[in-house]
Amino acid sequence: MFELDYKNRGPIYEQVCDKIKELIAMGELKTGEQLPAVRGLAKEIGINHNTIQKAFGILEREGVIYTVIGKGSFVSEHSANAKIFKENALSEIKQTIEKNIIYKVTHDDIIKLSNSIFNKGVCEND
Amino acid sequence: MFELDYKNRGPIYEQVCDKIKELIAMGELKTGEQLPAVRGLAKEIGINHNTIQKAFGILEREGVIYTVIGKGSFVSEHSANAKIFKENALSEIKQTIEKNIIYKVTHDDIIKLSNSIFNKGVCEND
Amino acid sequence: MFELDYKNRGPIYEQVCDKIKELIAMGELKTGEQLPAVRGLAKEIGINHNTIQKAFGILEREGVIYTVIGKGSFVSEHSANAKIFKENALSEIKQTIEKNIIYKVTHDDIIKLSNSIFNKGVCEND
Amino acid sequence: MFELDYKNRGPIYEQVCDKIKELIAMGELKTGEQLPAVRGLAKEIGINHNTIQKAFGILEREGVIYTVIGKGSFVSEHSANAKIFKENALSEIKQTIEKNIIYKVTHDDIIKLSNSIFNKGVCEND
DNA sequence: GTGGTCTAGACCACA
DNA sequence: GTGGTCTAGACCACA
């Protein structure tokens, strides 16, 4: 399903949350689709089932997935997910920009940065 | 010198780093100026001196300040600092945007966001 | 007969109990009327027959239905059911209110809440 | 600090959450006051520290408490808490009443119930 | 000392 | 088989 990156980041359960969200955002997990079993997934990626449990619990509280007792966990309505995801994304970007205004980051810097990220030619010269 | 906000934030040493960088960026700490003594500052803001020590160590590794043994810590050349600060800021913003492309954040979203942050009207000149 | 809502709910057998009670309360299942066969109902709503069995067992213990071995399950005397249902309902509401007194819920709050639920104007007659 | 009721209810961590909220609502834990240490409290009430950790984690996500890394957990602003608590309480009562309308619970039933709970005399006769 | 994360393994309810 | 809870115990970051 996915692999963990042990070098970089924070808690494993957070990484699991992020990966699941990515899979949903990319359409590889669709509305209503059943997620892999907690213990099965744990075995597959080589971590303890409690860690997966924690990740799924967070995703459930966030409304990204829902659980049917005794049956399994399922992906919530995709349009709702897409909305939550995008809102969180924009909010995170906003915070990051605002936090850095003090270091002389300008509107123009952001435009240029965004242009370079999204490969927009700046008319002729770039 | 500054106050800490204990709620919802990461480690205290990180906040201390940020505050000092802000003071430098805002010109309240100038090139070559001596930083307050570790123990004095610790007492003033009510935290353990080891925490300040840790923050100063990080700032030194980043080149933001330098320490003269037996004398104290001093603010590095301001233009160098300004450059480091801005590079870090842009790099952080870039990473944040790239991480969120998967959630359908577009170039237009970033422009709009930046407009709203920097209070640019979208009509007349742009 | 009825459909289940898998999201955000407790165990399926509990939902089955509730649905059958609702059907009786709404008069769609009448005194003495035979309930659908366990296996047939299970197939119809797409769940395991053990789950239906469990629900019927609970309803029987509550006196809501009765089973004649070899014939099937039947709805108990309606007036008795109505009494049981209402007693349980009031008892549940009572408990919920009492549990929340500690959070400054007042008699007035309850009146207002009830007014809003039952669409009573607060002006003219009351 | 408090004792658990092992007979009745659901998960222990939920009971811990409820107890802490009660203590805050009753003013026995005040704004900014430090909560007992996770491991200390666990030992005191005879459960595992992970269970307390889970409870505190939920309270933190709900905004009821906040954690300063390395220092401990503290009670959030009381007025905010009081508001959250009362909203949750009224919402829970509302849901309970609405769920039971089907069983012929009336506005009058609620009034009588509330009168009996809050010891309001109904004029002369009661 | 304080909280946070993780594992291993048990036991339970539900389908 | 599926998820949910809990314990015991380890290891880590932070103050």
Side-chain angles (χ1 to χ4, degrees):
Chain A
M1 188 144 203
F2 56 78
E3 289 183 357
L4 295 176
D5 171 12
Y6 283 104
K7 290 174 199 163
N8 298 10
R9 292 204 284 167
I12 298 178
Y13 73 83
E14 219 166 67
Q15 216 176 129
V16 172
C17 284
D18 287 349
K19 291 284 186 186
I20 301 276
K21 284 182 189 171
E22 282 175 25
L23 290 172
I24 295 174
M26 296 191 305
E28 296 190 23
L29 282 172
K30 295 188 207 320
T31 300
E33 190 173 338
Q34 183 163 11
L35 291 160
V38 170
R39 282 162 173 79
L41 181 57
K43 205 167 183 183
E44 189 193 316
I45 58 181
I47 61 175
N48 190 275
H49 64 89
N50 285 318
T51 305
I52 299 285
Q53 194 76 269
K54 183 163 188 176
F56 278 26
I58 291 172
L59 291 173
E60 185 162 9
R61 261 172 266 124
E62 290 181 354
V64 175
I65 65 176
Y66 64 91
T67 296
V68 183
I69 301 178
K71 295 195 78 175
S73 298
F74 302 84
V75 178
S76 298
E77 174 68 33
H78 182 67
S79 63
N81 277 334
K83 213 179 149 215
I84 296 172
F85 293 161
K86 186 154 178 183
E87 274 168 13
N88 290 347
L90 288 176
S91 157
E92 191 187 345
I93 295 170
K94 190 169 180 227
Q95 272 181 38
T96 306
I97 294 176
E98 284 173 340
K99 196 180 73 183
N100 283 300
I101 289 180
I102 196 157
Y103 301 124
K104 315 290 184 207
V105 168
T106 65
H107 181 61
D108 273 5
D109 289 323
I110 303 295
I111 305 279
K112 274 181 205 156
L113 191 59
S114 183
N115 272 327
S116 77
I117 292 170
F118 292 98
N119 287 316
K120 301 264 174 185
V122 184
C123 298
E124 307 102 4
N125 290 335
D126 201 312
Chain B
M1 189 152 196
F2 54 80
E3 287 185 358
L4 297 176
D5 167 21
Y6 287 105
K7 290 172 203 167
N8 306 319
R9 294 275 226 134
I12 296 178
Y13 75 84
E14 215 172 279
Q15 217 177 131
V16 172
C17 284
D18 286 349
K19 290 286 185 187
I20 290 179
K21 285 181 189 172
E22 282 175 28
L23 290 173
I24 296 174
M26 295 191 305
E28 296 189 24
L29 283 171
K30 296 188 206 319
T31 300
E33 188 172 341
Q34 182 164 13
L35 290 159
V38 169
R39 280 184 156 71
L41 182 56
K43 203 167 185 182
E44 187 193 317
I45 57 182
I47 63 178
N48 192 287
H49 63 86
N50 290 318
T51 306
I52 301 284
Q53 198 65 267
K54 181 163 191 173
F56 278 24
I58 291 171
L59 291 171
E60 194 168 354
R61 254 176 285 129
E62 292 181 351
V64 175
I65 64 176
Y66 60 92
T67 299
V68 180
I69 297 173
K71 294 196 74 176
S73 300
F74 303 84
V75 178
S76 300
E77 167 65 25
H78 181 67
S79 63
N81 274 334
K83 213 180 149 218
I84 295 172
F85 293 160
K86 185 153 179 184
E87 273 169 13
N88 289 347
L90 289 176
S91 156
E92 191 187 345
I93 295 169
K94 190 171 181 229
Q95 272 179 38
T96 306
I97 295 176
E98 284 174 339
K99 195 181 75 183
N100 284 300
I101 290 180
I102 195 153
Y103 299 124
K104 316 289 184 207
V105 169
T106 65
H107 181 63
D108 271 8
D109 290 323
I110 302 296
I111 305 281
K112 273 182 206 155
L113 191 61
S114 183
N115 272 326
S116 78
I117 292 170
F118 293 98
N119 285 317
K120 299 266 174 184
V122 196
C123 312
E124 305 125 359
N125 291 332
D126 200 310
Chain C
M1 190 151 197
F2 54 78
E3 288 184 357
L4 297 176
D5 168 21
Y6 287 105
K7 290 171 206 169
N8 305 321
R9 293 275 227 135
I12 295 179
Y13 76 85
E14 215 172 280
Q15 217 178 127
V16 172
C17 285
D18 286 349
K19 289 286 185 185
I20 291 179
K21 285 183 188 171
E22 282 176 27
L23 290 173
I24 296 174
M26 297 190 306
E28 296 189 23
L29 283 172
K30 296 189 206 319
T31 301
E33 190 173 340
Q34 182 165 12
L35 290 159
V38 169
R39 280 184 157 73
L41 182 56
K43 205 167 183 183
E44 188 194 316
I45 56 181
I47 63 177
N48 192 285
H49 63 86
N50 290 319
T51 307
I52 302 285
Q53 198 64 268
K54 180 161 191 175
F56 279 23
I58 291 170
L59 291 172
E60 195 168 352
R61 253 177 284 131
E62 291 181 353
V64 175
I65 64 175
Y66 62 92
T67 299
V68 181
I69 296 174
K71 293 196 74 177
S73 300
F74 302 84
V75 177
S76 300
E77 167 65 26
H78 182 67
S79 63
N81 273 335
K83 212 178 149 217
I84 295 172
F85 292 160
K86 186 153 178 182
E87 274 169 11
N88 289 346
L90 289 175
S91 155
E92 191 187 345
I93 295 169
K94 189 169 181 231
Q95 272 180 38
T96 306
I97 295 175
E98 284 174 340
K99 195 181 74 183
N100 283 300
I101 290 180
I102 194 153
Y103 299 124
K104 315 289 185 207
V105 169
T106 65
H107 181 62
D108 271 7
D109 290 322
I110 302 295
I111 304 281
K112 272 182 206 157
L113 191 59
S114 184
N115 271 327
S116 78
I117 292 171
F118 293 97
N119 285 317
K120 301 265 175 185
V122 197
C123 311
E124 303 123 0
N125 290 333
D126 200 311
Chain D
M1 188 146 201
F2 56 79
E3 288 183 358
L4 295 177
D5 172 11
Y6 283 103
K7 289 174 200 162
N8 297 11
R9 292 203 283 168
I12 298 178
Y13 72 82
E14 220 166 68
Q15 216 176 130
V16 173
C17 283
D18 287 348
K19 292 284 187 187
I20 301 277
K21 285 182 189 171
E22 281 175 27
L23 289 172
I24 296 174
M26 298 191 304
E28 297 190 22
L29 283 172
K30 295 189 208 317
T31 300
E33 189 173 340
Q34 184 164 10
L35 290 159
V38 169
R39 281 161 173 79
L41 181 57
K43 203 167 185 182
E44 188 192 316
I45 59 182
I47 63 176
N48 189 276
H49 64 87
N50 285 318
T51 304
I52 300 284
Q53 194 75 269
K54 183 165 188 174
F56 278 26
I58 291 172
L59 291 172
E60 184 162 11
R61 260 172 268 123
E62 291 181 353
V64 175
I65 66 175
Y66 63 90
T67 296
V68 182
I69 300 178
K71 296 193 79 173
S73 299
F74 302 82
V75 178
S76 298
E77 173 66 34
H78 183 66
S79 63
N81 278 334
K83 215 182 147 213
I84 296 172
F85 293 161
K86 186 155 179 183
E87 274 169 12
N88 290 346
L90 288 175
S91 157
E92 191 187 345
I93 296 170
K94 190 171 181 228
Q95 272 179 38
T96 307
I97 295 176
E98 285 174 339
K99 195 181 74 183
N100 283 301
I101 290 179
I102 197 157
Y103 301 124
K104 316 289 183 207
V105 168
T106 66
H107 181 61
D108 272 7
D109 289 323
I110 303 297
I111 305 279
K112 274 182 206 155
L113 191 60
S114 183
N115 271 327
S116 78
I117 291 169
F118 292 98
N119 286 318
K120 300 266 173 183
V122 184
C123 297
E124 310 100 5
N125 290 334
D126 201 312

